[in-house]
Amino acid sequence: MIVVRRANRDDLLFIVDAQMAMAVESEGAELDRATLTEGVRAVLEDRVHAEYWLAEEDETPVGMLMTVTEWSDWRNGVVLWIHSVYVVPEARRRGVYSTLYAHLRSQVERSDELMGLRLYVDKRNEPAQRVYEALGMTREHYHLYEWLKD
């Protein structure tokens, strides 16, 4: 059985390793481990407005994601953005992400403050897109633009 829980400081190594693997797998990007470790630590120490959620099977982490809040003035409430999704290869196609998603969706459905879930996905990551669509998420009419300093 897959169980979802909020990550804590003891999960630092798993999250860093998962994010290193996800960056290579999904975008071909090699992340700086020290920078990433400090970024993960900031979330786990509640220094930023984000949370990590872990999926565990037999008390072993098999997947994770991070949520970040966005205030929606149009809805007078909060939208949760899903970031940094990763499922270990040996646990894929077993409902790990679906369980994480169901956990978040349930939180939104029970809350008066939470209005919905959003995520973005690399347009080349077709397997992930199929998973999201199978769960009822829709590809919307927005394009994501960004500027990030080097």
Side-chain angles (χ1 to χ4, degrees), residues 16-67:
V16 169
D17 288 345
Q19 292 311 291
M20 296 286 292
M22 184 269 299
V24 169
E25 190 175 313
S26 66
E27 298 183 26
E30 292 283 341
L31 302 178
D32 179 76
R33 180 173 281 278
T35 300
L36 175 61
T37 299
E38 288 310 306
V40 171
R41 191 182 323 273
V43 173
L44 295 175
E45 293 177 355
D46 293 324
R47 290 185 276 139
V48 295
H49 296 288
E51 293 180 304
Y52 286 111
W53 296 93
L54 292 187
E56 293 182 323
E57 210 167 34
D58 298 323
E59 298 183 9
T60 300
V62 293
M64 57 146 304
L65 58 78
M66 180 177 70
T67 56

Side-chain angles (χ1 to χ4, degrees), residues 98-128:
S98 299
T99 303
L100 284 160
Y101 178 78
H103 178 83
L104 295 176
R105 185 170 168 155
S106 175
Q107 286 184 330
V108 171
E109 289 170 340
R110 290 189 322 260
S111 172
D112 292 332
E113 181 182 315
L114 297 175
M115 298 292 120
L117 301 167
R118 286 188 177 139
L119 60 77
Y120 60 87
V121 60
D122 188 299
K123 59 187 167 187
R124 299 165 293 185
N125 193 344
E126 293 178 5

